[in-house]
Amino acid sequence: MPMPAAVSAALDPDRALRRLAGYVARPAISCDPAHHADVEALAEAVSADLAALGLQAEVLRLPGALPSVAAAWMGAGPDAPTVLVYGHLDLQPVKGEPWTSDPHTLTQRGERVFARGASDDMGGWVSHLEAIQAYLEAEGGLPVNLRLLIEGEEEIGSPNLERYMDAFPEAFAADVMILTDCENPSPTQPGLTVSLRGLLEVELRCAALEADGHSGLWGGMVPDVSLALMRLVSRLCDEDGRMAIGRVEVPADWRAAAWEVPLSPAVIHAGAHLLPGVSALPDRGRPPAEWMWRQPSITVVATSLPTAERKKNALRTAASATLSVRLAPGQTIDEMIGLLRAVLLADPPAGVEVSVEQGKNASEGWLYTPRGPAFAAADRAYRASWGQPLLQVGVGGSIPFVALFGRRYGDLPLILNGVMDPESTAHGPNESLHLGVFAKAIAANAALYAELGALGKVGLRA
Ligand SMILES: [Zn+2]
């Protein structure tokens, strides 16, 4: 069921941009206590705007947490589904970043508008505000009951979101959820996020001497722990420099479809800012999307190797490295720790003492199968507004709120979309929003409300 023509005519991306310009002007940076008053002020402003649109809105608060905004419009009646839209108010910091224009002033250059929060995530939930406003103006109501939950702590890992879920269950009560903080593969290809990788930090340490020894005296017959550490780390990698252990099977049909994801070597080169002579790793017959979303990977994120300041001609006592492992979706922390220990502790070079300990950061990934009427409805809505069906995509990182929603509400349809694209540089300088994506997202939201409303609460469960 397409949205009514009057709603389509009432959608006004320029009005939505003006609203977005007002919100990005507030530096609601959650990791910086100096900006917590800005998060508070933004929450109050958004709540007031939602009330002015005709929603029941309030700022939710818990001790020791930044606020969330909750709003509801429940006029569609008991037979209509209730849709929850999640987004976040808060922003990443901008300190020390080379911005071309002021990060808190929405500035248009070409087809994009630039500002911190333009796409992550203010553009995401502002696109819903516009769809809601157009519906209410044109039809006097929405085809679904609708709740908005806009969190204030996503950029610091949603440390209190589950407490909000426990304290305000009514604010989260819904039949279908739209989580608007994810990415599209390109400005012309809408994405539906269905997997996350997990994250596991591991401390690898090797020790060989009780005290530093003279390398001119003992070098040649005594192990150097720095080299031993590097040899141990290299056991985890193949000749391309990829993690060689813990690879998982992926379904053949998923792999075939993943070749369609627009992640060519050129896209990777530009997106990851590789130097001119540096190439992306060879695909070895697997799609890049598989390597980035569905297989584990490893990065050395810290070491205690001798620094230039501590340079001396000595064999050192010990060396350590912090290894950051991205877990494949579905892979457990215990499984990966077991594999790492088996490879790293076996047969140490010259018998150096090796230890492998789990670090502080650990979260498992998420793998979701979108199935049923809600996803068929989303597909129709996106075909109508983007001219393209949703492409299932993964996220190479771990997003705590997604894992949490997956755990708490995984039996509901969870539609993960957003207004970011590969050039949005969320979390970096010159964050931007593509204007075409924004307009299509607004239309897709309104179209999705129409499709879900036409299904009804019963049809949604069929
Ligand atoms: Zn975000």
Side-chain angles (χ1 to χ4, degrees), residues 88 120-121 154-155 181 420 427:
H88 65 85
D120 179 16
D121 171 45
E154 196 278 336
E155 298 294 6
D181 195 26
M420 286 177 260
H427 298 199

Side-chain angles (χ1 to χ4, degrees), residues 121-198:
D121 171 45
M122 290 173 172
W125 49 268
V126 168
S127 75
H128 280 276
L129 266 50
E130 179 55 35
I132 293 166
Q133 183 167 2
Y135 243 114
L136 292 175
E137 283 177 5
E139 298 283 296
L142 293 162
V144 292
N145 299 307
L146 194 126
R147 296 183 192 280
L148 282 158
L149 191 290
I150 312 180
E151 192 198 354
E153 299 185 311
E154 196 278 336
E155 298 294 6
I156 52 172
S158 304
N160 296 294
L161 184 56
E162 188 155 30
R163 283 174 64 214
Y164 274 103
M165 290 172 174
D166 289 334
F168 304 100
E170 194 60 18
F172 292 84
D175 302 301
V176 52
M177 295 184 166
I178 303 172
L179 312 180
T180 66
D181 195 26
C182 294
E183 192 174 290
N184 302 292
S186 85
T188 54
Q189 173 62 67
L192 175 71
T193 296
V194 298
S195 70
L196 301 179
R197 287 196 293 189

Side-chain angles (χ1 to χ4, degrees), residues 311-393:
K311 184 176 125 182
K312 62 176 181 175
N313 283 323
L315 293 152
R316 305 304 175 100
T317 56
S320 63
T322 306
L323 309 175
S324 168
V325 177
R326 299 288 177 179
L327 302 171
Q331 197 159 44
T332 68
I333 290 166
D334 288 350
E335 199 180 321
M336 182 55 79
I337 282 277
L339 285 169
L340 290 167
R341 289 214 165 108
V343 173
L344 294 169
L345 299 180
D347 192 20
V352 298
E353 291 179 7
V354 180
S355 66
V356 176
E357 298 300 333
Q358 183 178 324
K360 286 200 299 276
N361 284 328
S363 62
E364 289 176 356
W366 177 69
L367 187 56
Y368 184 72
T369 308
R371 223 186 261 129
F375 291 97
D379 220 48
R380 288 193 293 276
Y382 274 78
R383 279 179 202 272
S385 47
W386 285 65
Q388 291 277 358
L390 284 160
L391 182 69
Q392 292 186 22
V393 298

